[in-house]
Amino acid sequence: MIEKTPQINYEEIEIFSRLNKPQRKAVFHNEGPLLVLAGAGTGKTGVLTTRLIRLLIERKALPGELLSVTFTNKAANEMRERVNKQIGDLSSGLKWLGTFHSIGAQILRYHPEKIELKNNFVILNTDDQTRLLKQIIIDENIDEKRWSPKILLNLIDQWKNKGLYPNQISSGEKDYFANGKGKKLYALYQERLKFFNAADFGDLILEVIRLFEENTDILESYQKRFKFTLVDEYQDTNTAQYKLLRLISDKSKNICCVGDDDQSIYSWRGAEVSNILRFEKDFKDSKIIRLEENYRSSGHILGAASKLIEKNSSRLGKTLWTSSGDGEKVLVTSVWDGEEEARIISTELESIMQKNRDLNEAAVLVRASFQMREFEDRFISIGLPYKVIGGPRFYERKEIRDCNAYLRLALLPTDSLALQRVINTPKRGIGETSVKKIRDYSKKNNIPMIEASNDLIINSTFKGKTKESLLQLINLIYRWHDQIDKHNNNELAEMIIEDSGYLEMLRKDESLTSTGRVENIYELFKSLEPFESIQAYLEHISLVMEIDRDQDGQKVSLMTLHAAKGLEFDYIFLPGWEEGVFPNQRAIDEGGQDSLEEERRLAYVGITRAKKKSSIFFSANRKMHNQWISSVPSRFVNELPENNTELNMSHFSVEKELFKKKDFSDFDQSDYETPGWERGKNFTDTQSLEHKNTKFIENSNNSSFHMGSKVIHKKFGEGKVLSVDGKKLTINFGKGGTRKVMENFVEEL
């Protein structure tokens, strides 16, 4: 039994004296399960850290008897630094403070023989895993082109996140890969890992669970060791992590989890929001403490976010408030298209700079990475410094560099660097050995690689599949070159990338990133429109790529909503709040109501990143997959409360058009039952343009236009109707290209 220290006057210790009442309750909770339900900006990590410090200074446990789990190394390091700052040497023994994976690895290295490994086992990265799975697929005589190792890796990762071993894979799930061979391949993969004395990241949790389940004495030793368990971001735990926590805390019951069900946005990583929702059922006699006082945002921002998230049914419930005043209302701005959206936001950011406010305190948060392109182009053109958080800049992304290499080849077939980059992307059976022969011959004879390739085909150096693939690629490049002046830029680019097989490669790729990469490529096609030629575009890109990424000074942050979680800024800009973009249509199609609720949580996260001002934008038109569509404001716009928001129409040149009748038929009405949606259905031209009337769509499918009608569009000019689909028109605008628009945006000539 550890002796208690003498009575401590916590009011004299700053980190304790500044705790509010609910925070204090959480910090000084003694024994038994505790869930700290902490809203955005309520100081949840500080509470967890302060609780750990209190347990140490009161000697409730020794440093080695505390298990403290975070989700990132950064969070673990920050927590450790805070503890060190407060109690110094007393914290030196916190060997069990870290991420799930680091703690799992530590446990496994103490007992490697129990899981058929040695204590010097290696942890494989994604590339190592992919190569190993590729070899297994080949060994099993499975077509690796049809059944990609990356798809199998993603599937195995999902199984491990669920805590499933090969023998636990159901008959339905094993059919997901190679016509029922998924279970067998998973088992072979695990066997191969043991043979190589290796584990992957999933094993660092899964194998610990197996260790504990098969060795009750070892489990009991860890249950006795850890007197208290503390968990950050509990809403982000997957099934395997949940199982591990249940096993470890089963005896002491002293588990304290901090999290926010309203910020659970990582289901695509395996996170299960149900883990936090059922905490009271899982842990008997548990206590829930709600942290609702927000120290980040103003009253109007919190009011808007709170009313929005109330539409979710799967939540425990809390209401955020602040004592800092109402501040500015959430501004909802309508714009004509993505370009105007980028222009208006850029103007606002320039205004921030002119007022000598810190540009580092401003961020643009997008739902999908393809949306970044228009902002990057605008920022570059006006010289506004920016940084992309959580990924490369648009033109630096691998798929964009690959596509640009193909465009360079079409413009100049003798561009050897471009050919070298894409000669076997997608896979054509032209391996490194063949590429080296081409490169060496090119260098020896001082000729471009495409000419060297042709010579090596003629002299029979290459035969079979290599010869066939290389010849096909050469012919494609010269055909593209011949077409360079016969098509407009985006048509030519789309033809080239389709012909190359690159888009098809990505469409077949079922990894988590493939859809985003396809969207980025279509955004690339769109970016070509303003340029007079492919050459002009490529010259522009060369200049863009030369911009110094490491320049000092203030920069606006550009990132996805997912990347923004945990961050805060004075000024937040939220573009693209339209149906299909946000909420994301693919997410809803695949996940139904559960995915819709996660999209709404993502909207909540976005709004609550703002300390002073949150600005939302929706566009009347959006170019998606190289096609113009007339957009409908996001249902989330409808769900924002009137008293916390302000509708700004000042930038929309034809504002009434947006609020005229649109076709209702494309949307799933069963999933779309908000008051705003109902108001939209009943909207008439005689009604006033008030904020409460954000959706304005009619049920009629009969168009007043027909094929061959001559029309005029306020932006694209005169055009001819090619086809009619309800209220949707496909129109050839000549130089403006062929576009799909709603009939409300054109007039008949």
Side-chain angles (χ1 to χ4, degrees), residues 733-745:
F733 289 104
K735 291 184 178 179
T738 300
R739 307 175 186 277
K740 290 185 179 180
V741 299
M742 300 300 292
E743 69 164 43
N744 297 318
F745 294 97

Side-chain angles (χ1 to χ4, degrees), residues 42 70 100 136 146 155 164 219 245 260 337 379 400 422 427 486 586 601 631 649 678 684 729:
T42 57
T70 66
F100 274 101
I136 293 170
R146 183 180 178 187
L155 192 58
L164 299 174
L219 171 60
L245 291 172
D260 184 3
D337 59 14
F379 294 165
I400 303 303
V422 297
K427 300 291 186 188
K486 299 177 182 178
R586 182 169 176 262
R601 292 194 291 269
S631 304
M649 303 294 297
E678 295 301 318
T684 65
L729 309 176

Side-chain angles (χ1 to χ4, degrees), residues 500-542:
S500 71
Y502 197 92
L503 271 172
E504 185 64 20
M505 173 190 74
L506 293 182
R507 292 185 185 116
K508 289 180 177 179
D509 183 1
E510 296 184 15
S511 67
L512 294 175
T513 60
S514 61
T515 301
R517 294 172 70 191
V518 171
E519 288 174 342
N520 287 339
I521 290 173
Y522 277 104
E523 188 63 22
L524 168 68
F525 299 156
K526 178 186 170 185
S527 75
L528 289 162
E529 286 182 358
F531 298 95
E532 62 183 29
S533 66
I534 293 290
Q535 184 174 357
Y537 161 77
L538 291 170
E539 286 178 359
H540 169 76
I541 297 306
S542 297

Side-chain angles (χ1 to χ4, degrees), residues 126-135 137 143-158 176-177 185 398-399 402 425-427 502 505-506 508-514 517:
T126 302
D127 288 342
D128 294 330
Q129 291 174 266
T130 305
R131 280 194 292 271
L132 180 55
L133 286 170
K134 180 180 178 179
Q135 191 57 58
I137 288 171
D143 185 357
E144 63 164 310
K145 292 182 179 178
R146 183 180 178 187
W147 302 102
S148 164
K150 289 183 178 179
I151 297 174
L152 181 58
L153 176 59
N154 185 47
L155 192 58
I156 290 174
D157 190 51
Q158 290 178 33
Y176 291 164
F177 191 86
L185 294 171
K398 181 182 183 304
E399 63 270 20
D402 288 344
T425 305
K427 300 291 186 188
Y502 197 92
M505 173 190 74
L506 293 182
K508 289 180 177 179
D509 183 1
E510 296 184 15
S511 67
L512 294 175
T513 60
S514 61
R517 294 172 70 191

